[in-house]
Amino acid sequence: MHALAFFFAASCSLLATLPFTEPSKTQSSFTIDLIHHDSSLSPFYNSSMTRSQLIRNAAMRSISRANRLSFSHTLNKLKESPPEAIIIPNNGDYLMRIYIGTPSVERLAIADTGSDLTWVQCSSCDITKCFAQNTSFYDPKHSSTFAFFPCDSETCTQLPYSQYICGDSGECIYGYNYGDESYSYGGFGSDSISFDATAATPPNFPKFVFGCGYVNKITADKSRKPTGIVGLGAGPLSLVSQLGDEIGHKFSYCLLPFASNSSSKLKFGEAAIVQGNGVVSTPLIIKPDLPFYYLNLEGITVGAKTVKTGQTDGNIIIDSRSTLTYLEKNLYNEFVSLVKEIVAVEEENNYGPYPFDFCFTYKEGMSAPPDVVFHFTGGDVVLKPMHTLLLIEDNLTCSTVVPSSFGGISIFGNLAQIDFHVGYDIQGGKVSFAPTNCSLN
Ligand SMILES: *[C@@H]1O[C@H](CO)[C@@H](O)[C@H](O)[C@H]1NC(C)=O
Ligand SMILES: *[C@@H]1O[C@H](CO)[C@@H](O)[C@H](O)[C@H]1NC(C)=O
Ligand SMILES: *[C@@H]1O[C@H](CO)[C@@H](O)[C@H](O)[C@H]1NC(C)=O
Ligand SMILES: *[C@@H]1O[C@H](CO)[C@@H](O)[C@H](O)[C@H]1NC(C)=O
Ligand SMILES: *[C@@H]1O[C@H](CO)[C@@H](O)[C@H](O)[C@H]1NC(C)=O
């Protein structure tokens, strides 16, 4: 769920003034499970689907429903409809458990590195305006620590004006539209949040700011029933920003192969420092008013040949939620011609199911598929064939790198990140990669 580009009119001052978690001298370091939506650990697991069906479904979910949204039907006090969004695919592949309130309530929510606000469906929600979920809606009245922000509170007024309105009782109402027509609006409040961490005393953060959504839609897939979104992106409202100093402004993940029966890991604090053999780092680029984490891709090497981008200012979004990797069209075309030279594809199958583009039938005698090196500024990430190719049906192999249809935006997706420990050091301004067997991590 990638929040629209217009959201962050707020400056860094928001970070300084929100009533975020109380500062603590001891830094928290903890690890939680990231559950692939389709894995056997997920409540949404469908055992009758084959691995290739699952992967294909995930890739199909990448199809973005680009649309210019007007929120006027619900937030009719807004003075203008939002400007064009940056539309990137929304898959919701990974879920994480959060525990909110006192006593705490467990929520299984989409972990999203492409947006900032965390929200859950709340009890004031009328089922016609929300989506069905398998547990009762979160009821703030049952939590002794929940508080709504009034409209004239500093926290509320620091939401950009196009993202909030004042309710009839003077309450702060947020409105978020996402690039795929998903949306949430509701009360803006704070409560404690904790995680089912492996630490002896699971860290608990008392005043986490989040949305109590009562008009919500997640378009990703009708069969998927998460209960909200956890925003791990850039921007002052994200979980990562709110935990801030507590976690040293660091988080990381280690994603397992698709069909694995263990859970992937999401780490915060010291645990998120990427160490070990073969660590490479590249500058993390955060652009004003956008929730995305950008890297700069200088070129791609396939076999002995390299295509260069000639760019330096952050041209690819690194995203844990997009299944596939998307390249700006010219770069994609050059990349695919190099792959074709090496694999010596005789007959290209032009009927790869959308959104796949380059597919072929692998035949005996064909050269082994090559490793592919993504040259990020200062750090080369070597991708194995398992990262870039997928057997999607009988003998039909497709490239998981596809052309971008998102206004020239490139995205480094999650299949390409499997079995890397990927660490984000927000203050240090870098993203690090280390090849890792994530099932041992
Ligand atoms: C939803 O709850 C029902 C009954 O508790 C259970 O049988 C079903 O498996 C659950 N489905 C999911 C997707 O969690
Ligand atoms: C599980 O997958 C099978 C095969 O694709 C499909 O027919 C069935 O509807 C799916 N079940 C659910 C609950 O989605
Ligand atoms: C994962 O678990 C499922 C169901 O328990 C099983 O059918 C499958 O073989 C397991 N996969 C692996 C890779 O162990
Ligand atoms: C797929 O590959 C196998 C083994 O290489 C071969 O026997 C079979 O005919 C192929 N099927 C198709 C549809 O090409
Ligand atoms: C990773 O570790 C697991 C558990 O020891 C092992 O089964 C698996 O083969 C390893 N994967 C790779 C790619 O080495």
Side-chain angles (χ1 to χ4, degrees):
M1 302 300 121
H2 300 285
L4 297 191
F6 62 81
F7 177 66
F8 286 104
S11 68
C12 304
S13 65
L14 183 55
L15 191 56
T17 48
L18 280 171
F20 286 154
T21 54
E22 268 131 39
S24 149
K25 275 160 209 91
T26 49
Q27 221 193 45
S28 295
S29 181
F30 57 99
T31 298
I32 62 179
D33 289 342
L34 264 186
I35 301 158
H36 196 282
H37 183 282
D38 301 324
S39 78
S40 60
L41 300 169
S42 164
F44 310 116
Y45 179 59
N46 181 343
S47 59
S48 58
M49 289 177 87
T50 62
R51 175 180 174 279
S52 67
Q53 266 179 319
L54 290 173
I55 291 185
R56 201 167 144 179
N57 277 10
M60 300 302 246
R61 287 196 300 268
S62 283
I63 300 164
S64 166
R65 281 145 290 216
N67 198 6
R68 187 169 190 274
L69 295 183
S70 162
F71 220 10
S72 54
H73 62 296
T74 45
L75 289 179
N76 56 16
K77 291 182 204 167
L78 295 186
K79 293 188 186 70
E80 58 186 43
S81 52
E84 288 300 332
I86 286 187
I87 304 293
I88 77 172
N90 301 290
N91 297 345
D93 277 350
Y94 290 95
L95 305 168
M96 62 187 274
R97 291 180 207 282
I98 55 173
Y99 297 80
I100 48 176
T102 313
S104 73
V105 173
E106 179 190 293
R107 298 285 95 151
L108 187 60
I110 293 173
D112 185 11
T113 55
S115 70
D116 67 330
L117 181 76
T118 295
W119 59 266
V120 296
Q121 298 212 95
C122 266
S123 58
S124 37
C125 174
D126 156 354
I127 192 63
T128 62
K129 299 198 179 77
C130 292
F131 50 90
Q133 65 180 48
N134 222 3
T135 55
S136 56
F137 295 133
Y138 181 67
D139 187 349
K141 286 195 228 70
H142 291 168
S143 172
S144 62
T145 43
F146 185 90
F148 279 115
F149 292 110
C151 207
D152 57 4
S153 66
E154 214 168 348
T155 309
C156 182
T157 56
Q158 282 172 332
L159 279 167
Y161 94 102
S162 65
Q163 292 292 142
Y164 80 93
I165 55 172
C166 296
D168 293 340
S169 332
E171 75 275 24
C172 181
I173 299 175
Y174 73 90
Y176 257 61
N177 303 320
Y178 298 89
D180 66 345
E181 295 183 11
S182 299
Y183 53 74
S184 174
Y185 92 94
F188 197 49
S190 73
D191 206 340
S192 67
I193 186 169
S194 65
F195 307 91
D196 189 18
T198 49
T201 44
N204 184 300
F205 302 93
K207 284 187 178 159
F208 181 68
V209 175
F210 67 102
C212 181
Y214 43 69
V215 176
N216 313 309
K217 182 177 166 194
I218 290 184
T219 58
D221 181 336
K222 288 202 171 50
S223 70
R224 343 189 91 210
K225 296 187 183 68
T227 58
I229 291 177
V230 177
L232 297 170
L237 286 173
S238 85
L239 176 70
V240 177
S241 300
Q242 290 198 47
L243 301 190
D245 289 342
E246 282 262 14
I247 55 164
H249 303 270
K250 292 181 186 75
F251 77 101
S252 71
Y253 48 73
C254 207
L255 304 177
L256 285 160
F258 212 82
S260 171
N261 281 340
S262 330
S263 52
S264 299
K265 299 295 179 208
L266 178 63
K267 303 179 177 208
F268 295 92
E270 292 288 314
I273 296 173
V274 179
Q275 289 162 325
N277 289 336
V279 181
V280 297
S281 296
T282 184
L284 168 62
I285 298 162
I286 294 174
K287 303 193 177 184
D289 307 340
L290 289 173
F292 307 118
Y293 296 116
Y294 287 88
L295 307 180
N296 192 67
L297 180 64
E298 294 183 350
I300 303 176
T301 294
V302 183
K305 293 193 182 161
T306 300
V307 291
K308 295 213 161 105
T309 66
Q311 287 174 299
T312 55
D313 60 344
N315 54 0
I316 187 163
I317 292 168
I318 176 166
D319 189 28
S320 62
R321 289 216 30 224
S322 307
T323 310
L324 304 178
T325 288
Y326 296 82
L327 294 180
E328 176 276 318
K329 286 199 171 95
N330 293 327
L331 179 60
Y332 172 78
N333 289 335
E334 292 182 73
F335 164 77
V336 162
S337 35
L338 294 188
V339 176
K340 284 180 193 165
E341 277 180 35
I342 294 204
V343 183
V345 179
E346 288 160 30
E347 356 159 11
E348 187 176 330
N349 186 321
N350 289 317
Y351 304 101
Y354 185 80
F356 294 107
D357 181 80
F358 170 57
C359 297
F360 58 92
T361 305
Y362 196 78
K363 291 214 178 88
E364 258 175 62
M366 278 166 84
S367 310
D371 284 357
V372 170
V373 184
F374 272 55
H375 302 284
F376 295 109
T377 298
D380 290 350
V381 173
V382 181
L383 303 181
K384 303 285 177 200
M386 73 124 175
H387 291 115
T388 59
L389 294 173
L390 208 55
L391 183 66
I392 65 159
E393 27 186 78
D394 284 347
N395 299 1
L396 186 64
T397 299
C398 292
S399 168
T400 65
V401 178
V402 299
S404 168
S405 51
F406 319 112
I409 293 169
S410 297
I411 301 169
F412 195 57
N414 66 41
L415 286 177
Q417 299 178 58
I418 284 171
D419 276 343
F420 283 101
H421 186 199
V422 183
Y424 296 67
D425 178 354
I426 315 292
Q427 254 178 1
K430 64 178 183 181
V431 171
S432 302
F433 297 84
T436 304
N437 183 337
C438 290
S439 61
L440 304 175
N441 193 254

